[in-house]
Amino acid sequence: MNRRPESVVSVLPRTLRRAGMTVNDVHKRLKEMVIVYRIKPGERVNEGELAEELDVSRTPLREALHRLVAENMLTLVPNRGFYGRQLERQEVFDLYELRGAIELASVNLALQRAPHDDVVLARDAWLDVMQHTAAMSTYQLLEADEQFHLSIAQLSGNQEIVKSLQAVNARIHYFRWSDLEGKSKAMEDEHLALLDALLRRDAPLCRDVISGHVAHRMEDIVQFIQHSVVRLYAGHL
């Protein structure tokens, strides 16, 4: 009886199997884990387990971990290792406030620069999303909301604004579950109102809509954190 051939991957030396995963790839995978709190706040990163799970050597893994420290997404404790970063309520509040400033800058520039046809396309895309929101999970709504705001940032024509918004979104992603729950209809209407105002180049209305849409009080932030921590340790991702 002929022996079943082994897979190509299984017969390659481990160093070659790992060669396909670049530091950028490892960084992206780890960042996704941090964003959805696969690595919990205060939890020590087990480098051995991560290297095994991602099938990479320690060198690219550690370089990717150091990048996440530089991005304020992990903490490095000397002689102890890497840890999931704890976010204090003031820091989360500051991040929400920064997000609001970035969103307002996006809208102000989009009012000046965005081609009419591009705004029409953005509006059509959002109308298409609205056809499906009733069947979306909170996670899917969050993804749709983040993509909407990134599309407004793209309309600003400033790629640094786009990158800054992506960075802030990554750091508050998990807390925004609580932010969006039960608010699907309000979110849909506010997004559409913003695009309609942008089409008319109605600057005061654009600014009013975006300011009201992203503004939060400290009390809201505390509630988001408490709700998110309960969800996190209950395993509800």
Side-chain angles (χ1 to χ4, degrees):
M1 182 175 179
N2 292 332
R3 184 183 175 188
R4 185 177 180 179
E6 295 179 273
S7 71
V8 173
V9 172
S10 67
V11 298
L12 285 173
R14 193 163 184 78
T15 53
L16 290 181
R17 277 190 274 160
R18 293 174 171 179
M21 182 81 88
T22 67
V23 174
N24 288 338
D25 294 330
V26 178
H27 172 260
K28 182 179 179 181
R29 290 283 302 279
L30 289 176
K31 191 169 187 175
E32 289 169 354
M33 290 181 179
V34 173
I35 287 172
V36 299
Y37 280 174
R38 276 277 311 278
I39 301 172
K40 295 180 175 63
E43 179 180 74
R44 187 174 183 275
V45 174
N46 188 318
E47 294 181 42
E49 287 184 2
L50 272 182
E52 186 68 26
E53 179 178 344
L54 300 178
D55 198 19
V56 295
S57 66
R58 292 292 187 94
T59 300
L61 178 68
R62 289 185 66 83
E63 184 173 338
L65 289 169
H66 277 289
R67 285 190 192 180
L68 291 173
V69 171
E71 293 169 354
N72 290 315
M73 299 189 75
L74 290 177
T75 300
L76 175 60
V77 179
N79 302 317
R80 295 185 63 185
F82 298 90
Y83 288 79
R85 196 162 189 274
Q86 300 274 18
L87 285 181
E88 301 296 332
R89 63 182 185 179
Q90 183 62 52
E91 184 175 2
V92 178
F93 180 81
D94 289 347
L95 286 168
Y96 268 89
E97 196 168 59
L98 175 59
R99 175 174 172 255
I102 294 170
E103 300 274 13
L104 187 56
S106 296
V107 167
N108 283 332
L109 289 175
L111 282 163
Q112 302 170 39
R113 300 174 177 175
H116 180 85
D117 288 350
D118 288 355
V119 181
V120 170
L121 287 173
R123 187 180 188 277
D124 289 344
W126 183 247
L127 286 172
D128 184 59
V129 171
M130 289 176 68
Q131 300 300 313
H132 304 94
T133 51
M136 287 183 178
S137 65
T138 302
Y139 180 79
Q140 289 170 325
L141 286 171
L142 175 53
E143 292 286 302
D145 179 71
E146 288 185 351
Q147 188 55 50
F148 171 84
H149 287 282
L150 284 173
S151 72
I152 300 298
Q154 291 283 3
L155 290 173
S156 76
N158 187 314
Q159 289 306 304
E160 293 304 316
I161 282 180
V162 175
K163 288 189 283 188
S164 296
L165 183 57
Q166 288 173 322
V168 172
N169 281 343
R171 292 177 64 189
I172 62 173
H173 181 92
Y174 197 82
F175 296 103
R176 296 204 58 231
W177 285 74
S178 299
D179 189 356
L180 285 180
E181 283 189 325
K183 299 179 182 177
S184 171
K185 186 63 169 65
M187 178 189 74
E188 292 175 33
D189 293 344
E190 288 170 359
H191 287 181
L192 190 59
L194 177 61
L195 289 166
D196 286 341
L198 190 54
L199 276 172
R200 297 194 302 271
R201 307 294 163 167
D202 187 336
L205 182 55
C206 279
R207 291 166 188 145
D208 285 347
V209 172
I210 198 65
S211 296
H213 184 60
V214 301
H216 291 90
R217 300 169 300 155
M218 178 61 81
E219 291 83 356
D220 297 328
I221 302 302
V222 172
Q223 186 176 29
F224 297 161
I225 293 173
Q226 290 173 340
H227 191 182
S228 298
V229 168
V230 169
R231 179 193 296 276
L232 175 65
Y233 286 97
H236 297 152
L237 290 178

